[in-house]
Amino acid sequence: MLINESPRLTGISFSPERKLMSSVNMIDGKIFAIVRGAPEIVFSRCVGGCIKESEKANIEMSNNGLRVIAVAIKQLDNLPANPTSEEIENGLTLLGLLGLFDPPRPEAVQAIKLCRRCGIKTVMITGDHVLAATATAKEMNILDDTQTVLTGDELEKLTDSEFLEGIDEISVYARVSHGDKQRIVDCLKKSGHTVIITGDNLTDAPALQSADIGCAMGITGTDVAKVAADMTVEDDNFATIVSSVKEARSVCNNIRRTIDFLANYSVGIVLAVLMGITIFKIPIISASQALIATFIINFILACGIYNEPAESDILLSPYKNNNSAITINLSGLYSFRHGIFVSIITLLAYIIGFFETHNHSSITGITMAFATLIFSQIFLLLSVRTNSMIFKASLLKNPLLILAIFAALAVTLVLMLTPLNTVFNLTVLQTTQWFKIIGLAIIPSLVNEFIKVITFFKKTTS
């Protein structure tokens, strides 16, 4: 093997500051220092070789997206005990250039396109030559005509205030050091961005800690990087990070929907009780019924909506930044609007049940009101679980939701059709009354579907 023919005697490891690494080898009985690193740095330390021709070749190779490494050599009189950069990395003779091609993964290119469509900006931070970085960034759709490239040397000359002025127009940072990476992260956060950064090196740890979310690479990442990061990408694939963003948005959406769903019930039942007391001088929903509906039935239904899978267009919806609290929707029109409809149909169900009996039985009205309240929540659940039309969202994707609906129906029917109905002031209803309950209960969900249609046409015409 070559290593046996030319054994390595000593060397200097790579450092981002020098952008060089060196090894001292014995070749045919003579001692040579072999230096490789960034072409422009190696060229500046060479006194022999085809430097001018290599400079042109470096530009051409970099423009083709190759990662270029220059190799130079120097014969030493003796083996240095403690080799230094000044001693063995100067007065070199250039041997040539190596071009490394690392094509981007197709799924990463598609993921970056998706990021751009959904408002996530992808920024490349690399130690590569500016031309190679530019070519790669264009191939991956990171860089376009509206964005610029900044080198580490240019960044060093800028103050933080000057850097912040143009930071939104920069998509590629080339020939940067690891200290530059942390500064970029800090300034992006100062400019109001939520920053996710990837890293795999020991020197990436400060930037991984500074970012809002640090992502270490599971395959190539060092243990230090994994400890400093908030999460580890096991397959080292950028597309996996985008999938994680999709899941995170889905979780946030489901939390909001769950809160809104529970809030609209609370508004509905409070208004129904208040209107019943005002008009009929009795609560049309008793305290025990309200407790059962709130802490058992609605809890079961909420568990189903929380498990709703991500919608296909979730990444294309407008992003809500982390400064807006999830609970802000509680004061919005969503809960108030549905709460009003739920309270009105609950009151109507009581009125129908009360007046259609010969003796104007309040227990029949109360039972119809209770059943209407529960069934309206079930129908509304099917509608609010998705932003698209209800018939476009398959129930089969969320088996837990199906189970939750059947469980809620089972609890309701047990309360109404078994001897427990006397405990909760309920009675057995006739078939015609059930049809009336279903007709009333479906109204809030129909209103919600109508609003979806209006919203859809507004988006398509704008």
Side-chain angles (χ1 to χ4, degrees):
M1 293 178 65
L2 186 61
I3 191 66
N4 295 326
E5 296 175 5
S6 305
R8 185 179 187 275
L9 305 176
T10 185
I12 305 175
S13 60
F14 178 84
S15 74
E17 292 73 28
R18 291 175 18 257
K19 295 183 174 62
L20 296 172
M21 69 172 296
S22 302
S23 64
V24 178
N25 293 65
M26 179 71 72
I27 304 175
D28 296 333
K30 299 177 182 178
I31 300 174
F32 288 91
I34 304 171
V35 182
R36 53 263 195 209
E40 61 270 26
I41 304 298
V42 174
F43 294 159
S44 66
R45 299 187 178 220
C46 288
V47 295
C50 303
I51 298 175
K52 290 189 178 298
E53 292 83 353
S54 296
E55 287 176 343
K56 295 178 181 178
N58 176 42
I59 294 174
E60 183 178 349
M61 294 168 73
S62 297
N63 278 327
N64 290 327
L66 295 177
R67 181 177 295 176
V68 185
I69 299 175
V71 182
I73 196 169
K74 174 183 179 180
Q75 186 175 350
L76 304 178
D77 297 329
N78 49 59
L79 178 65
N82 295 301
T84 63
S85 176
E86 291 75 14
E87 181 181 4
I88 67 173
E89 294 179 343
N90 286 296
L92 305 170
T93 298
L94 183 65
L95 292 182
L97 303 175
L98 297 174
L100 306 178
F101 181 57
D102 184 15
R105 295 182 179 183
E107 63 269 25
V109 176
Q110 293 301 317
I112 290 170
K113 286 183 180 179
L114 182 59
C115 283
R116 176 168 292 197
R117 289 175 61 193
C118 64
I120 300 174
K121 181 180 179 181
T122 306
V123 174
M124 176 188 289
I125 305 175
T126 178
D128 293 347
H129 190 279
V130 62
L131 295 178
T134 300
T136 303
K138 287 182 177 178
E139 183 180 359
M140 299 187 70
N141 298 304
I142 294 175
L143 186 66
D144 58 25
D145 295 337
T146 64
Q147 298 290 300
T148 59
V149 181
L150 191 70
T151 64
D153 291 337
E154 293 169 337
L155 176 60
E156 190 176 353
K157 297 174 184 177
L158 297 175
T159 63
D160 281 355
S161 58
E162 292 172 336
F163 180 34
L164 285 169
E165 286 179 7
I167 196 169
D168 289 334
E169 283 72 48
I170 304 170
S171 286
V172 178
Y173 298 87
R175 279 287 189 255
V176 296
S177 66
H178 293 282
D180 293 332
K181 183 180 286 191
Q182 183 177 4
R183 184 186 176 195
I184 293 167
V185 169
D186 292 338
C187 287
L188 282 169
K189 290 176 65 177
K190 286 180 183 177
S191 65
H193 295 287
T194 300
V195 182
I196 304 175
I197 191 167
T198 62
D200 55 10
N201 236 319
L202 169 69
T203 47
D204 287 330
L208 290 169
Q209 287 185 320
S210 295
D212 293 292
I213 301 176
C215 299
M217 299 293 103
I219 300 174
T220 59
T222 61
D223 290 338
V224 174
K226 293 176 184 178
V227 170
D230 300 291
M231 60 180 288
T232 300
V233 183
E234 293 295 340
D235 58 359
D236 289 13
N237 193 340
F238 179 79
T240 302
I241 299 176
V242 179
S243 298
S244 300
V245 173
K246 180 179 180 180
E247 289 301 318
R249 287 195 177 186
S250 176
V251 170
C252 288
N253 280 353
N254 287 343
I255 291 174
R256 288 189 175 96
R257 285 169 179 164
T258 303
I259 293 173
D260 283 335
F261 176 74
L262 295 173
N264 92 71
Y265 164 78
S266 300
V267 171
I269 195 170
V270 168
L271 289 178
V273 170
L274 289 176
M275 287 190 291
I277 293 175
T278 303
I279 299 173
F280 298 101
K281 308 303 181 185
I282 63 168
I284 62 175
I285 299 293
S286 68
S288 59
Q289 293 169 1
L291 289 174
I292 289 292
T294 302
F295 294 106
I296 297 181
I297 297 176
N298 259 48
F299 175 77
I300 293 172
L301 294 174
C303 289
I305 196 173
Y306 182 77
N307 197 54
E308 190 68 20
E311 296 185 83
S312 58
D313 62 344
I314 190 170
L315 285 176
L316 304 181
S317 59
Y319 170 67
K320 295 180 175 65
N321 64 49
N322 57 4
N323 293 322
S324 60
I326 278 180
T327 54
I328 209 163
N329 283 340
L330 291 177
S331 60
L333 292 177
Y334 180 90
S335 299
F336 189 68
R337 179 183 70 217
H338 291 306
I340 288 177
F341 279 109
V342 169
S343 63
I344 290 174
I345 64 171
T346 302
L347 184 63
L348 286 175
Y350 175 82
I351 294 172
I352 292 171
F354 181 80
F355 284 104
E356 77 174 7
T357 55
H358 295 296
N359 57 351
H360 290 176
S361 171
S362 62
I363 191 172
T364 302
I366 289 173
T367 304
M368 288 189 65
F370 176 75
T372 301
L373 178 69
I374 301 303
F375 276 79
S376 68
Q377 294 301 98
I378 293 174
F379 288 133
L380 194 56
L381 176 69
L382 296 173
S383 178
V384 301
R385 72 188 182 93
T386 175
N387 293 327
S388 58
M389 300 303 293
I390 190 171
F391 57 84
K392 291 184 178 181
S394 174
L395 274 174
L396 299 178
K397 293 181 179 180
N398 187 359
L400 185 60
L401 180 63
I402 300 174
L403 182 62
I405 291 173
F406 277 107
L409 287 173
V411 172
T412 304
L413 294 177
V414 166
L415 292 178
M416 297 177 64
L417 302 179
T418 67
L420 285 174
N421 57 15
T422 58
V423 177
F424 292 96
N425 196 29
L426 300 170
T427 187
V428 178
L429 298 176
Q430 300 174 3
T431 304
T432 56
Q433 291 171 332
W434 279 108
F435 282 119
K436 293 172 184 177
I437 288 170
I438 300 299
L440 289 170
I442 204 171
I443 291 175
S445 58
L446 291 177
V447 171
N448 195 55
E449 292 301 303
F450 180 69
I451 292 171
K452 289 180 185 178
V453 173
I454 294 175
T455 304
F456 173 77
F457 279 111
K458 281 184 177 179
K459 287 182 179 179
T460 55
T461 55
S462 60

